[in-house]
Coordinates of all heavy atoms in Angstrom, one line a residue:
M1 N 0.4 20.0 -22.5 CA -0.2 18.9 -23.4 C 0.6 17.7 -23.5 O 0.2 16.6 -23.4 CB -0.5 19.6 -24.7 CG -0.9 18.7 -25.8 SD -2.7 18.4 -25.8 CE -3.0 17.5 -27.3
I2 N 2.0 17.9 -23.7 CA 2.8 16.8 -23.8 C 2.9 16.0 -22.5 O 2.9 14.7 -22.6 CB 4.3 17.2 -24.3 CG1 4.2 17.8 -25.7 CG2 5.3 16.1 -24.3 CD1 5.4 18.6 -26.1
A3 N 3.0 16.7 -21.4 CA 3.0 16.0 -20.2 C 1.7 15.2 -19.9 O 1.8 14.1 -19.3 CB 3.3 17.1 -19.0
T4 N 0.6 15.7 -20.3 CA -0.6 15.0 -20.1 C -0.6 13.7 -20.9 O -1.0 12.7 -20.4 CB -1.8 15.9 -20.6 OG1 -1.8 17.1 -19.8 CG2 -3.2 15.2 -20.3
V5 N -0.1 13.7 -22.1 CA -0.1 12.6 -23.0 C 0.9 11.6 -22.4 O 0.6 10.4 -22.3 CB 0.3 12.9 -24.4 CG1 0.6 11.7 -25.2 CG2 -0.8 13.8 -25.1
I6 N 2.0 12.0 -21.9 CA 3.0 11.1 -21.3 C 2.5 10.5 -20.1 O 2.6 9.2 -19.9 CB 4.4 11.9 -21.0 CG1 5.0 12.2 -22.4 CG2 5.3 11.0 -20.2 CD1 6.2 13.1 -22.3
L7 N 1.9 11.3 -19.1 CA 1.3 10.7 -17.9 C 0.1 9.7 -18.2 O 0.0 8.7 -17.6 CB 1.0 11.8 -17.0 CG 2.1 12.6 -16.4 CD1 1.5 13.8 -15.6 CD2 2.9 11.7 -15.5
G8 N -0.7 10.1 -19.2 CA -1.8 9.2 -19.6 C -1.3 7.8 -20.1 O -1.8 6.8 -19.8
T9 N -0.2 7.9 -20.9 CA 0.4 6.7 -21.4 C 1.0 5.9 -20.3 O 0.8 4.6 -20.3 CB 1.4 7.0 -22.5 OG1 0.9 7.8 -23.5 CG2 2.1 5.8 -23.1
L10 N 1.7 6.5 -19.4 CA 2.3 5.8 -18.3 C 1.1 5.2 -17.4 O 1.4 4.0 -16.9 CB 3.1 6.7 -17.4 CG 3.8 6.2 -16.2 CD1 4.8 5.2 -16.7 CD2 4.5 7.3 -15.5
A11 N 0.1 5.8 -17.2 CA -1.1 5.3 -16.4 C -1.7 4.1 -17.1 O -2.0 3.1 -16.4 CB -2.1 6.4 -16.1
Y12 N -1.8 4.2 -18.4 CA -2.3 3.1 -19.1 C -1.4 1.9 -19.1 O -1.9 0.7 -18.9 CB -2.5 3.5 -20.6 CG -3.1 2.3 -21.5 CD1 -4.5 2.1 -21.4 CD2 -2.3 1.7 -22.3 CE1 -5.0 1.1 -22.3 CE2 -2.8 0.6 -23.1 CZ -4.1 0.3 -23.0 OH -4.7 -0.6 -23.9
I13 N -0.1 2.0 -19.2 CA 0.8 0.9 -19.2 C 0.8 0.3 -17.8 O 0.8 -0.9 -17.6 CB 2.2 1.3 -19.5 CG1 2.2 1.7 -21.0 CG2 3.3 0.3 -19.3 CD1 3.5 2.4 -21.5
T14 N 0.8 1.1 -16.8 CA 0.8 0.6 -15.4 C -0.5 -0.2 -15.1 O -0.5 -1.2 -14.6 CB 0.8 1.8 -14.3 OG1 2.0 2.6 -14.7 CG2 0.8 1.3 -12.9
A15 N -1.6 0.3 -15.6 CA -2.9 -0.5 -15.4 C -2.9 -1.7 -16.2 O -3.4 -2.8 -15.7 CB -4.1 0.4 -15.9
W16 N -2.3 -1.8 -17.3 CA -2.2 -3.0 -18.1 C -1.3 -4.1 -17.3 O -1.7 -5.2 -17.2 CB -1.5 -2.7 -19.4 CG -1.5 -3.8 -20.5 CD1 -2.1 -5.0 -20.3 CD2 -1.0 -3.7 -21.8 NE1 -1.9 -5.7 -21.5 CE2 -1.3 -4.9 -22.3 CE3 -0.4 -2.7 -22.5 CZ2 -0.9 -5.2 -23.7 CZ3 0.0 -2.9 -23.8 CH2 -0.2 -4.2 -24.4
I17 N -0.2 -3.6 -16.8 CA 0.6 -4.6 -16.0 C -0.1 -5.1 -14.7 O -0.1 -6.3 -14.4 CB 2.0 -3.8 -15.6 CG1 2.8 -3.6 -16.8 CG2 2.7 -4.7 -14.6 CD1 3.9 -2.7 -16.6
M18 N -0.8 -4.2 -14.1 CA -1.6 -4.6 -12.8 C -2.7 -5.5 -13.1 O -2.9 -6.5 -12.4 CB -2.1 -3.3 -12.2 CG -1.0 -2.5 -11.5 SD -1.7 -1.0 -10.7 CE -2.5 -1.7 -9.3
V19 N -3.4 -5.3 -14.3 CA -4.4 -6.2 -14.7 C -3.9 -7.6 -15.0 O -4.4 -8.7 -14.6 CB -5.3 -5.7 -15.8 CG1 -6.2 -6.7 -16.4 CG2 -6.1 -4.5 -15.3
D20 N -2.8 -7.7 -15.7 CA -2.1 -9.0 -16.1 C -1.7 -9.6 -14.8 O -1.9 -10.9 -14.6 CB -1.0 -8.7 -17.0 CG -1.3 -8.4 -18.4 OD1 -2.5 -8.7 -18.8 OD2 -0.5 -8.0 -19.2
F21 N -1.1 -9.0 -13.8 CA -0.7 -9.6 -12.5 C -1.9 -10.1 -11.7 O -1.9 -11.2 -11.3 CB 0.1 -8.5 -11.7 CG 0.5 -9.0 -10.4 CD1 1.7 -9.7 -10.3 CD2 -0.2 -8.8 -9.2 CE1 2.1 -10.2 -9.0 CE2 0.1 -9.3 -8.0 CZ 1.3 -10.0 -7.9
K22 N -3.0 -9.3 -11.7 CA -4.2 -9.7 -10.9 C -4.9 -10.9 -11.6 O -5.4 -11.8 -10.9 CB -5.1 -8.6 -10.9 CG -6.3 -8.7 -10.0 CD -5.8 -9.0 -8.5 CE -7.0 -9.2 -7.6 NZ -6.6 -9.5 -6.3
V23 N -4.8 -11.1 -12.9 CA -5.4 -12.2 -13.5 C -4.5 -13.5 -13.2 O -5.0 -14.5 -13.0 CB -5.5 -12.0 -15.1 CG1 -5.8 -13.3 -15.8 CG2 -6.6 -10.9 -15.4
K24 N -3.2 -13.2 -13.3 CA -2.3 -14.4 -12.9 C -2.3 -14.8 -11.5 O -2.2 -16.0 -11.2 CB -0.9 -14.0 -13.4 CG 0.1 -15.2 -13.4 CD 1.4 -14.8 -14.0 CE 2.4 -15.9 -14.1 NZ 3.6 -15.6 -14.7
Y25 N -2.4 -13.9 -10.6 CA -2.3 -14.1 -9.1 C -3.6 -13.5 -8.5 O -3.5 -12.5 -7.9 CB -1.0 -13.5 -8.5 CG 0.2 -14.0 -9.2 CD1 0.9 -13.2 -10.0 CD2 0.7 -15.2 -8.9 CE1 2.1 -13.6 -10.6 CE2 1.9 -15.7 -9.4 CZ 2.6 -14.9 -10.2 OH 3.8 -15.3 -10.8
M26 N -4.7 -14.2 -8.5 CA -5.9 -13.7 -8.0 C -6.0 -13.7 -6.5 O -6.7 -12.9 -6.0 CB -7.1 -14.5 -8.5 CG -7.4 -14.4 -10.0 SD -8.8 -15.3 -10.4 CE -8.8 -15.1 -12.1
G27 N -5.2 -14.5 -5.8 CA -5.2 -14.5 -4.3 C -4.4 -13.3 -3.7 O -4.5 -13.1 -2.5
V28 N -3.7 -12.6 -4.4 CA -3.0 -11.4 -3.9 C -4.0 -10.2 -3.6 O -4.4 -9.6 -4.6 CB -1.8 -11.0 -4.8 CG1 -1.1 -9.8 -4.2 CG2 -0.8 -12.1 -5.0
M29 N -4.2 -10.0 -2.4 CA -5.2 -8.9 -2.0 C -4.5 -7.7 -1.3 O -5.0 -6.7 -1.3 CB -6.3 -9.4 -1.1 CG -7.1 -10.5 -1.7 SD -8.1 -9.8 -3.0 CE -8.8 -11.2 -3.7
N30 N -3.3 -7.9 -0.7 CA -2.7 -6.8 0.0 C -1.1 -7.0 -0.1 O -0.6 -8.0 -0.7 CB -3.2 -6.7 1.4 CG -3.0 -8.0 2.2 OD1 -2.0 -8.7 1.9 ND2 -3.9 -8.3 3.1
I31 N -0.4 -6.1 0.5 CA 1.0 -6.1 0.5 C 1.6 -7.3 1.1 O 2.7 -7.9 0.8 CB 1.7 -4.8 1.1 CG1 3.1 -4.6 0.7 CG2 1.5 -4.7 2.5 CD1 3.3 -4.3 -0.7
G32 N 0.9 -7.9 2.2 CA 1.4 -9.1 2.8 C 1.4 -10.3 1.9 O 2.3 -11.1 1.9
D33 N 0.3 -10.4 1.1 CA 0.2 -11.5 0.1 C 1.3 -11.4 -0.9 O 1.9 -12.3 -1.4 CB -1.1 -11.4 -0.6 CG -2.3 -11.8 0.4 OD1 -2.0 -12.4 1.4 OD2 -3.4 -11.4 0.1
A34 N 1.6 -10.1 -1.3 CA 2.7 -9.9 -2.3 C 4.0 -10.3 -1.7 O 4.8 -10.9 -2.4 CB 2.7 -8.4 -2.8
G35 N 4.3 -9.9 -0.5 CA 5.4 -10.4 0.3 C 5.6 -11.9 0.3 O 6.7 -12.4 0.1
E36 N 4.5 -12.5 0.6 CA 4.5 -14.0 0.6 C 4.8 -14.6 -0.8 O 5.6 -15.5 -0.9 CB 3.2 -14.6 1.1 CG 3.2 -16.1 1.2 CD 1.9 -16.6 1.8 OE1 0.9 -15.9 1.7 OE2 1.9 -17.8 2.3
L37 N 4.3 -14.0 -1.8 CA 4.6 -14.4 -3.1 C 6.0 -14.3 -3.6 O 6.6 -15.2 -4.2 CB 3.7 -13.6 -4.1 CG 3.8 -14.0 -5.6 CD1 3.2 -15.4 -5.9 CD2 3.1 -13.0 -6.5
M38 N 6.7 -13.2 -3.1 CA 8.1 -12.9 -3.4 C 9.0 -13.7 -2.5 O 10.1 -14.2 -3.0 CB 8.4 -11.5 -3.3 CG 7.7 -10.7 -4.5 SD 8.1 -9.0 -4.5 CE 7.3 -8.4 -3.0
F39 N 8.8 -13.7 -1.2 CA 9.8 -14.2 -0.2 C 9.3 -15.3 0.7 O 10.0 -15.6 1.7 CB 10.3 -12.9 0.6 CG 10.8 -11.9 -0.2 CD1 10.2 -10.6 -0.3 CD2 12.0 -12.1 -0.9 CE1 10.7 -9.6 -1.0 CE2 12.5 -11.0 -1.7 CZ 11.9 -9.7 -1.8
G40 N 8.2 -15.8 0.5 CA 7.6 -16.9 1.4 C 6.9 -16.3 2.6 O 6.6 -15.2 2.7
K41 N 6.9 -17.2 3.6 CA 6.2 -16.9 4.9 C 6.8 -15.7 5.6 O 6.1 -14.9 6.2 CB 5.9 -18.0 5.8 CG 7.1 -18.5 6.4 CD 6.8 -19.7 7.5 CE 8.0 -20.0 8.2 NZ 7.7 -21.1 9.2
W42 N 8.1 -15.6 5.6 CA 8.8 -14.5 6.2 C 8.6 -13.2 5.5 O 8.5 -12.1 6.2 CB 10.3 -14.7 6.4 CG 10.5 -15.8 7.4 CD1 10.8 -17.1 7.2 CD2 10.4 -15.6 8.9 NE1 11.0 -17.8 8.5 CE2 10.7 -16.8 9.4 CE3 10.1 -14.5 9.7 CZ2 10.7 -17.1 10.8 CZ3 10.0 -14.7 11.0 CH2 10.3 -16.0 11.6
G43 N 8.5 -13.2 4.2 CA 8.1 -12.0 3.5 C 6.7 -11.5 3.8 O 6.5 -10.3 3.9
R44 N 5.8 -12.4 4.0 CA 4.4 -12.0 4.4 C 4.5 -11.4 5.8 O 3.8 -10.4 6.0 CB 3.5 -13.3 4.4 CG 2.1 -13.0 4.8 CD 1.2 -14.2 4.8 NE -0.1 -13.9 5.2 CZ -1.0 -13.5 4.3 NH1 -0.8 -13.5 3.0 NH2 -2.3 -13.3 4.7
R45 N 5.2 -11.9 6.7 CA 5.3 -11.3 8.0 C 5.9 -9.9 8.0 O 5.4 -9.0 8.6 CB 6.1 -12.1 9.0 CG 5.3 -13.5 9.3 CD 6.1 -14.3 10.2 NE 5.4 -15.6 10.4 CZ 5.9 -16.7 11.0 NH1 7.1 -16.6 11.4 NH2 5.2 -17.7 11.1
W46 N 7.0 -9.8 7.3 CA 7.8 -8.5 7.3 C 7.0 -7.4 6.5 O 6.8 -6.2 7.0 CB 9.1 -8.7 6.6 CG 10.1 -9.2 7.5 CD1 10.6 -10.5 7.5 CD2 10.8 -8.5 8.5 NE1 11.5 -10.6 8.6 CE2 11.7 -9.4 9.1 CE3 10.8 -7.2 9.0 CZ2 12.5 -9.1 10.2 CZ3 11.6 -6.8 10.0 CH2 12.4 -7.8 10.6
F47 N 6.4 -7.8 5.4 CA 5.6 -6.8 4.7 C 4.3 -6.5 5.4 O 3.9 -5.3 5.4 CB 5.3 -7.4 3.2 CG 6.4 -7.2 2.2 CD1 7.7 -7.6 2.6 CD2 6.1 -6.8 1.0 CE1 8.6 -7.5 1.7 CE2 7.1 -6.7 0.0 CZ 8.4 -7.0 0.4
G48 N 3.7 -7.4 6.0 CA 2.5 -7.1 6.9 C 2.7 -6.2 8.0 O 2.0 -5.3 8.1
W49 N 3.8 -6.4 8.7 CA 4.2 -5.6 9.8 C 4.6 -4.2 9.3 O 4.3 -3.2 10.0 CB 5.2 -6.2 10.7 CG 4.6 -7.1 11.7 CD1 4.8 -8.5 11.7 CD2 3.8 -6.7 12.8 NE1 4.0 -9.0 12.8 CE2 3.4 -8.0 13.5 CE3 3.3 -5.5 13.3 CZ2 2.6 -8.0 14.6 CZ3 2.6 -5.6 14.5 CH2 2.2 -6.8 15.1
G50 N 5.3 -4.2 8.2 CA 5.7 -2.9 7.6 C 4.4 -2.0 7.2 O 4.4 -0.9 7.4
L51 N 3.4 -2.7 6.7 CA 2.1 -2.0 6.4 C 1.5 -1.5 7.6 O 1.0 -0.4 7.6 CB 1.2 -3.0 5.6 CG -0.1 -2.3 5.2 CD1 0.1 -1.2 4.2 CD2 -1.0 -3.4 4.6
V52 N 1.5 -2.3 8.7 CA 0.9 -1.9 9.9 C 1.6 -0.6 10.5 O 1.0 0.4 10.9 CB 0.9 -3.0 11.0 CG1 0.5 -2.5 12.4 CG2 -0.1 -4.1 10.6
L53 N 2.9 -0.6 10.5 CA 3.7 0.5 11.0 C 3.5 1.8 10.1 O 3.4 2.9 10.7 CB 5.2 0.1 11.0 CG 5.6 -0.9 12.1 CD1 7.0 -1.3 11.9 CD2 5.3 -0.4 13.4
K54 N 3.5 1.5 8.8 CA 3.2 2.7 7.9 C 1.9 3.4 8.2 O 1.7 4.5 8.3 CB 3.3 2.3 6.5 CG 3.1 3.4 5.5 CD 2.9 2.8 4.1 CE 2.6 4.0 3.1 NZ 1.3 4.5 3.3
V55 N 0.8 2.5 8.2 CA -0.6 3.0 8.5 C -0.7 3.7 9.8 O -1.3 4.7 10.0 CB -1.6 1.9 8.3 CG1 -3.0 2.4 8.7 CG2 -1.7 1.5 6.8
S56 N -0.1 3.1 10.8 CA -0.2 3.6 12.1 C 0.6 4.9 12.3 O 0.2 5.8 13.1 CB 0.2 2.7 13.2 OG 1.6 2.3 13.1
S57 N 1.7 5.1 11.6 CA 2.5 6.3 11.6 C 2.0 7.4 10.8 O 2.3 8.6 11.1 CB 3.9 6.0 11.4 OG 4.1 5.6 10.0
T58 N 1.2 7.1 9.8 CA 0.7 8.2 8.9 C -0.8 8.5 9.1 O -1.3 9.3 8.4 CB 0.9 7.8 7.4 OG1 0.2 6.6 7.2 CG2 2.4 7.6 7.1
S59 N -1.4 7.9 10.1 CA -2.8 8.2 10.3 C -3.0 9.6 10.9 O -2.1 10.1 11.7 CB -3.4 7.2 11.2 OG -2.9 7.3 12.5
E60 N -4.0 10.2 10.6 CA -4.3 11.6 11.1 C -5.0 11.6 12.4 O -5.1 12.6 13.0 CB -5.2 12.3 10.0 CG -4.3 12.7 8.8 CD -3.2 13.7 9.1 OE1 -3.4 14.6 10.0 OE2 -2.2 13.6 8.5
F61 N -5.6 10.4 12.8 CA -6.5 10.5 14.0 C -5.7 10.9 15.3 O -6.2 11.8 16.0 CB -7.1 9.1 14.2 CG -7.9 9.1 15.4 CD1 -9.1 9.8 15.4 CD2 -7.6 8.4 16.5 CE1 -9.9 9.7 16.6 CE2 -8.3 8.3 17.6 CZ -9.6 9.0 17.7
P62 N -4.6 10.3 15.6 CA -3.9 10.7 16.9 C -3.4 12.2 16.8 O -3.7 12.9 17.8 CB -2.7 9.8 16.9 CG -3.0 8.6 16.1 CD -3.9 9.2 15.0
R63 N -2.9 12.7 15.8 CA -2.5 14.1 15.7 C -3.7 15.0 15.8 O -3.6 16.0 16.4 CB -1.7 14.3 14.4 CG -0.2 13.8 14.5 CD 0.5 14.1 13.3 NE 0.5 12.9 12.5 CZ 0.7 12.8 11.2 NH1 1.0 13.9 10.6 NH2 0.7 11.7 10.6
S64 N -4.8 14.7 15.1 CA -5.9 15.6 15.2 C -6.5 15.6 16.5 O -7.0 16.7 17.0 CB -6.9 15.3 14.1 OG -7.5 14.0 14.4
Q65 N -6.5 14.6 17.2 CA -7.0 14.6 18.6 C -6.2 15.4 19.5 O -6.7 16.1 20.4 CB -7.1 13.1 19.2 CG -8.2 12.3 18.4 CD -9.6 12.9 18.6 OE1 -10.0 13.3 19.7 NE2 -10.4 13.0 17.5
L66 N -4.9 15.4 19.3 CA -4.0 16.1 20.2 C -4.0 17.6 19.9 O -4.0 18.5 20.8 CB -2.5 15.6 20.1 CG -2.3 14.2 20.6 CD1 -0.9 13.9 20.4 CD2 -2.6 14.2 22.2
T67 N -4.1 18.0 18.6 CA -4.0 19.4 18.3 C -5.3 20.1 18.4 O -5.4 21.4 18.7 CB -3.6 19.6 16.9 OG1 -4.4 18.9 16.0 CG2 -2.1 19.1 16.7
N68 N -6.5 19.4 18.4 CA -7.8 20.1 18.5 C -8.4 20.0 19.9 O -9.5 20.3 20.1 CB -8.7 19.4 17.5 CG -8.4 19.7 16.1 OD1 -7.7 20.7 15.8 ND2 -8.7 18.8 15.2
R69 N -7.6 19.6 20.9 CA -8.1 19.5 22.2 C -8.2 20.9 22.9 O -7.3 21.7 22.8 CB -7.1 18.6 23.1 CG -7.6 18.4 24.5 CD -6.7 17.5 25.2 NE -6.8 16.2 24.5 CZ -6.9 15.1 25.0 NH1 -7.0 15.0 26.3 NH2 -7.0 14.0 24.4
Q70 N -9.3 21.1 23.4 CA -9.6 22.4 24.1 C -9.6 22.1 25.6 O -10.4 21.3 26.1 CB -10.9 23.0 23.7 CG -10.9 23.3 22.2 CD -12.2 24.0 21.7 OE1 -13.0 24.2 22.5 NE2 -12.2 24.3 20.5
W71 N -8.8 22.8 26.3 CA -8.7 22.7 27.8 C -9.8 23.6 28.4 O -9.9 24.8 28.1 CB -7.3 23.0 28.3 CG -6.4 22.1 27.6 CD1 -5.6 22.3 26.6 CD2 -6.1 20.7 28.1 NE1 -4.8 21.3 26.3 CE2 -5.0 20.3 27.2 CE3 -6.5 20.0 29.1 CZ2 -4.5 19.0 27.3 CZ3 -6.0 18.7 29.2 CH2 -5.0 18.2 28.4
V72 N -10.4 23.1 29.3 CA -11.5 23.9 30.0 C -11.0 24.4 31.3 O -10.2 23.9 32.0 CB -12.8 23.1 30.2 CG1 -13.8 23.9 31.0 CG2 -13.3 22.6 28.9

């Protein structure tokens, strides 16, 4: 019960901070935009490529295609 109340409070505070940020910076749609906001054009490039590498390394499609292949 205590953990549920603590986690619920933490989620509420996090949502409050995120809504305030979104109202202040409406143009930030992804991690690349956030990188540009913090570090300029180079931040946008680094954060954007970091996101591409993260998504491509954690996707399930290539692994599922290799493990489910049936040889005839």
Side-chain angles (χ1 to χ4, degrees):
M1 171 87 172
I2 294 172
T4 303
V5 171
I6 291 172
L7 290 173
T9 304
L10 183 62
Y12 180 77
I13 293 169
T14 303
W16 191 0
I17 292 170
M18 290 179 69
V19 167
D20 286 345
F21 179 83
K22 189 62 179 170
V23 167
K24 191 173 181 181
Y25 303 104
M26 290 185 186
V28 177
M29 297 292 174
N30 55 34
I31 194 73
D33 294 338
E36 183 177 19
L37 182 66
M38 292 186 289
F39 303 113
K41 71 176 185 175
W42 287 103
R44 180 179 180 89
R45 291 178 184 171
W46 280 102
F47 279 46
W49 277 108
L51 180 64
V52 168
L53 291 174
K54 179 190 176 292
V55 169
S56 64
S57 67
T58 59
S59 67
E60 288 293 324
F61 180 70
R63 280 183 263 164
S64 66
Q65 291 298 316
L66 291 175
T67 57
N68 293 333
R69 182 173 299 226
Q70 295 181 3
W71 300 97
V72 178

